[in-house]
Amino acid sequence: MNTSETNQDNSNDERTSVENLCMLYLFGELDSDAKSRFEHQLASDPELCEMLSEQSYLITSAAAATVKRALPAEVRRGKVLSTSGAWRSIAALSAIAACIALALQVVDYSARPADGLALNRTALSPEPDLDESVLIAKAWAASQHATDSTRDDSSVIDDVEPLDDLLDEQPSDLDATLDWIFVAISSGDEKRMEEGNDG
Amino acid sequence: MVEPSSPSPDPDDPVGDDLGGECSPSHQWRELFDELAGGLRAFLRNRLRQESDVDDCLQVVFVKMLESVDRVAPAARRAWVFRVAANEAAQMWRSEASRGRMLEKLEKHGDEPTDSDDPIDRVILTETTRKLEESLLTLPAAYREVVSLRIHENMTFQEIADHLGIPLGTALTRMRRALDRLRTEIDQNHL
């Protein structure tokens, strides 16, 4: 290697070193001492000024030329990820809620007696074919009977028949379209007769 | 002229950005200006003959910083500030404008050319940016990655080197070569 090549290599190395220094300064990566030295040199070195100016132009150009490919800041900092995380959380909570509902349903199902009526009572199936007017009438009749009798309220409560029993006692030939008041009266009369018999 | 090194918060700021705490963009710009004031002054003294022109130019640079709060990627802000300072110094040098004329011009044409509202300027800017972008795309992916990590992810060169498992010098070299490619493109196309 001859002298001129050596000088050129040294010159290139020096330029590279100065370019690196300018880059580090423009990116704010020089420590305070190096920064002070650089700025002091800047005041007295026109070539360094030119190089800094050129580097600043190239860096801003690079920033402009690559801005389209850059991800938005909120994506880079995980906001979108956290948003999708929120959706995942909602989905997980929904799944847990569904599991709990299913478990409760299973518990409810297993706690019921294994008769035909209970088998029909699931959360997803409608109530068995009850005649609402009949139920209301029987309840009304029971309350009338309690009012008429001399027994206290606790005995009335004790005498209240379970709903399933009421359903079982429902006459099969009862016309479901009857007015509920007639049913109530007849039911009340039955109760009174039973009391009379008991007495 | 008073040096705008520590401007007070603008009470007329409509969005309260200046009062919005230390993380607001305008606050970041002010901190940056304070940090760079010494370097900017040294830089401008090399380009302008009178100290008053240096002060004027600093004032203009500061105003443009505040006008461009959200337009420049944080990592490129120092470079942008020096670019604006260089442009302003060149304009002052060419026109040898007085302080009054300079400020008057700023009031009429406050934006630098890259922020022009002129549709023709915008077309030219878009075309220039497209060419530079194409030029960067011809670089090896490893070089472009360093550019992206440094400018848009705001990682230091040491962090980039650690992240990529390469020496610090290699990270610097890749960045420098990417900038060299841009320089060539700019020189060849007179951008």
Side-chain angles (χ1 to χ4, degrees):
Chain A
M1 186 178 289
N2 59 34
T3 308
S4 64
E5 285 177 333
T6 305
N7 288 340
Q8 189 173 357
D9 284 348
N10 289 338
S11 173
N12 286 340
D13 288 347
E14 187 180 352
R15 179 178 175 83
T16 298
S17 173
V18 175
E19 281 181 349
N20 283 345
L21 203 58
C22 288
M23 267 199 320
L24 291 170
Y25 177 76
L26 290 173
F27 282 121
E29 293 191 34
L30 291 181
D31 61 38
S32 57
D33 288 342
K35 179 172 171 281
S36 296
R37 283 198 301 274
F38 183 86
E39 289 176 346
H40 182 74
Q41 190 181 353
L42 200 61
S44 58
D45 188 345
E47 286 185 12
L48 183 61
C49 265
E50 281 305 313
M51 193 167 287
L52 186 71
S53 178
E54 183 183 70
Q55 289 281 314
S56 66
Y57 180 53
L58 294 175
I59 289 170
T60 49
S61 298
T66 58
V67 70
K68 288 178 185 172
R69 288 191 298 277
L71 294 173
E74 56 271 23
V75 174
R76 293 198 305 272
R77 308 210 189 300
K79 286 189 178 176
V80 168
L81 291 178
S82 66
T83 302
S84 62
W87 279 112
R88 281 199 297 272
S89 300
I90 291 170
L93 287 173
S94 300
I96 291 169
C99 289
I100 291 171
L102 186 62
L104 289 174
Q105 188 176 322
V106 168
V107 169
D108 180 55
Y109 177 81
S110 60
R112 290 182 181 278
D115 58 12
L117 182 62
L119 284 174
N120 285 331
R121 289 183 181 176
T122 66
L124 297 177
S125 65
E127 287 291 309
D129 190 17
L130 302 179
D131 190 329
E132 187 180 4
S133 63
V134 173
L135 293 176
I136 295 172
K138 290 210 170 197
W140 180 82
S143 66
Q144 284 296 107
H145 169 68
T147 306
D148 292 341
S149 70
T150 56
R151 291 179 298 182
D152 60 17
D153 288 348
S154 60
S155 61
V156 172
I157 293 171
D158 291 338
D159 285 346
V160 172
E161 296 165 333
L163 181 62
D164 288 348
D165 293 342
L166 288 174
L167 289 170
D168 291 339
E169 287 177 1
Q170 179 182 338
S172 59
D173 58 347
L174 183 65
D175 186 354
T177 61
L178 287 176
D179 188 283
W180 68 273
I181 199 73
F182 293 107
V183 179
I185 292 168
S186 62
S187 179
D189 289 340
E190 286 175 12
K191 283 279 181 184
R192 287 192 187 90
M193 287 177 65
E194 285 173 11
E195 267 194 354
N197 293 335
D198 292 342
Chain B
M1 178 175 286
V2 178
E3 182 178 340
S5 57
S6 300
S8 58
D10 182 8
D12 297 328
D13 180 7
V15 293
D17 201 23
D18 292 332
L19 305 174
E22 295 184 355
C23 292
S24 66
S26 59
H27 184 87
Q28 292 170 8
W29 277 109
R30 286 173 181 182
E31 281 191 341
L32 181 63
F33 188 86
D34 286 343
E35 177 196 326
L36 294 179
L40 278 172
R41 185 171 288 279
F43 178 77
L44 290 171
R45 277 177 182 155
N46 249 305
R47 295 172 169 247
L48 299 169
R49 286 175 292 188
Q50 297 182 14
E51 192 68 16
S52 59
D53 288 343
V54 172
D55 288 337
D56 284 349
C57 203
L58 281 172
Q59 187 84 12
V60 174
V61 169
F62 182 72
V63 169
K64 291 197 171 183
M65 283 171 76
L66 293 182
E67 288 174 348
S68 308
V69 161
D70 287 326
R71 298 183 201 171
V72 188
R77 283 177 182 171
R78 288 176 181 81
W80 183 86
V81 168
F82 275 92
R83 185 185 171 191
V84 171
N87 286 343
E88 290 304 318
Q91 282 188 23
M92 289 182 79
W93 180 262
R94 280 195 297 269
S95 64
E96 294 185 346
S98 67
R99 181 184 311 172
R101 285 178 58 197
M102 174 70 188
L103 293 176
E104 184 181 347
K105 184 182 175 186
L106 173 64
E107 287 174 4
K108 289 181 180 175
H109 310 287
D111 291 337
E112 74 169 304
T114 53
D115 296 333
S116 172
D117 293 330
D118 186 339
I120 295 175
D121 284 346
R122 288 197 175 279
V123 169
I124 293 171
L125 174 64
T126 304
E127 181 65 12
T128 301
T129 304
R130 188 185 62 78
K131 284 181 179 176
L132 293 177
E133 189 178 6
E134 286 176 357
S135 177
L136 278 178
L137 282 173
T138 63
L139 281 168
Y143 290 18
R144 283 186 274 125
E145 186 177 27
V146 171
V147 173
S148 179
L149 290 174
R150 185 62 195 89
I151 292 178
H152 298 295
E153 302 298 328
N154 207 4
M155 295 170 71
T156 66
F157 285 111
Q158 187 60 61
E159 288 171 342
I160 293 169
D162 293 343
H163 178 69
L164 299 178
I166 56 176
L168 173 61
T170 303
L172 286 167
T173 298
R174 288 180 184 178
M175 184 74 187
R176 206 177 55 251
R177 287 187 179 162
L179 297 181
D180 281 343
R181 178 65 63 90
L182 280 182
R183 181 193 291 118
T184 303
E185 184 70 24
I186 289 166
D187 290 345
Q188 285 179 351
N189 292 285
H190 306 289
L191 299 176

